[in-house]
Amino acid sequence: MSNLKSRLAGRAPKHAIILGSALGSVVDAVQDPLDIPYTELSGFPVPKISGHAGKVVVGRLGGREVAVLAGRAHPYESGNAAVMRPALEQLKDAGIETLILTNAAGSLKLSMKPGALMLITDHINYSGMNPLIGQHGDENFVPMTNAYDPVLRKAFLAAAKKEKIALKQGVYCWYSGPSFETPAEIRMFQIIGGTAVGMSTAPECILARRLGLKVAGISTITNLAAGLKGASPSHEETKREGMKAAAAMQRLLTRFFRDMK
Ligand code: HPA
């Protein structure tokens, strides 16, 4: 077992990406890749569900050095909302400054259809959990205003425009899962101001802000949320539609890094 910093072999990525369900193919765009399996990194989660790999790929995307985490652990696997803490701490320790969180999510709006990408502007933590519970010290009162960095958001909107990707924007609701939501829960999320719903990302955003990382988030919309037009989401649908959206995600990320100031 080693830590990420000691495995970088002279590379110095300042940016990291966590890939969501079925977005694993995004690593194909990474040039000169160095693969490090999670099983060789202390504290990294070994994903147990299909659609998620388990490796860090260090290389260049859009000409920038990046560390791509292909696969994440979800709080619903163990009940531990802080399951990604060791991995994020290691990213910080390795010199990472910016973290791009990606995921698969259900749409709460009929106008945002499967296949769309959504830039996360903010989140609603509806899980009843918080990854900082049990931590001591004033630093844990982390401000969550502008948690999804406005400068990074602007850069993603510009990158999407250049790539002619119709990037939507909205509020991501974190639902614990692993069962999907009921139609009544989805109606509630619509009322309280949500745009999309999913089972990850928000706890990682909280942990990353605690560590002082800048955060951006992008959802791939894989389905209409439960009850919308009679939708009844499934893991199979999430994987299938996520794979279809991976090409657009790859283009968006590559352009974002290429044009980064
Ligand atoms: N709900 C929760 N998580 C999801 C969904 C959904 O509809 N789609 C993809 N991940």
Side-chain angles (χ1 to χ4, degrees):
M1 284 292 179
S2 47
N3 64 28
L4 181 63
K5 191 179 178 179
S6 72
R7 298 290 301 273
L8 290 178
R11 300 168 191 230
K14 287 203 164 49
H15 316 289
I17 304 166
I18 299 184
L19 294 179
S21 288
L23 291 170
S25 67
V26 170
V27 297
D28 297 343
V30 175
Q31 289 169 326
D32 198 13
L34 167 73
D35 282 18
I36 312 165
Y38 286 177
T39 48
E40 295 174 14
L41 293 169
S42 46
F44 271 67
V46 179
K48 295 179 193 70
I49 58 167
S50 60
H52 293 263
K55 62 180 177 181
V56 182
V57 181
V58 184
R60 283 190 319 282
L61 193 62
R64 307 264 157 189
E65 287 213 271
V66 296
V68 183
L69 274 64
R72 58 156 56 92
H74 298 78
Y76 62 67
E77 293 171 53
S78 61
N80 176 13
V83 64
M84 290 298 284
R85 184 207 313 267
L88 295 178
E89 283 175 347
Q90 287 208 31
L91 289 176
K92 170 80 179 175
D93 184 48
I96 296 297
E97 296 171 359
T98 311
L99 180 65
I100 317 290
L101 301 170
T102 70
N103 61 47
S107 173
L108 298 168
K109 293 204 187 293
L110 287 173
S111 59
M112 187 168 71
K113 300 196 169 55
L117 297 184
M118 186 191 91
L119 181 66
I120 301 176
T121 55
D122 202 348
H123 75 223
I124 293 173
N125 175 359
Y126 192 77
S127 71
M129 299 184 267
N130 188 297
L132 301 180
I133 287 175
Q135 297 294 300
H136 301 293
D138 287 356
E139 310 78 25
N140 295 295
F141 297 111
V142 179
M144 291 298 289
T145 312
N146 284 328
Y148 298 85
D149 191 83
V151 176
L152 295 178
R153 267 154 48 198
K154 230 175 132 183
F156 268 111
L157 291 171
K161 204 169 169 195
K162 276 201 184 157
E163 289 295 322
K164 299 192 168 43
I165 292 169
L167 185 59
K168 305 275 185 183
Q169 299 188 68
V171 174
Y172 176 91
C173 299
W174 174 29
Y175 182 80
S176 76
S179 63
F180 282 98
E181 305 75 27
T182 64
E185 286 164 342
I186 292 302
R187 288 194 296 277
M188 174 193 66
F189 286 141
Q190 291 173 320
I191 290 165
I192 65 176
T195 317
V197 58
M199 305 177 190
S200 67
T201 301
E204 294 158 13
C205 175
I206 294 167
L207 288 165
R209 293 304 299 142
R210 167 70 181 84
L211 292 168
L213 301 175
K214 281 191 219 159
V215 174
I218 304 164
S219 296
T220 56
I221 301 302
T222 55
N223 57 279
L224 292 176
L228 265 73
K229 278 196 171 163
S232 181
S234 69
H235 188 53
E236 280 62 42
E237 181 183 36
T238 298
K239 283 195 289 186
R240 189 178 64 240
E241 296 299 320
M243 271 182 230
K244 284 194 212 161
M249 182 69 88
Q250 192 182 83
R251 274 198 294 133
L252 180 63
L253 290 169
T254 304
R255 171 62 67 181
F256 169 80
F257 284 113
R258 179 163 297 137
D259 291 355
M260 190 176 235
K261 302 262 163 24

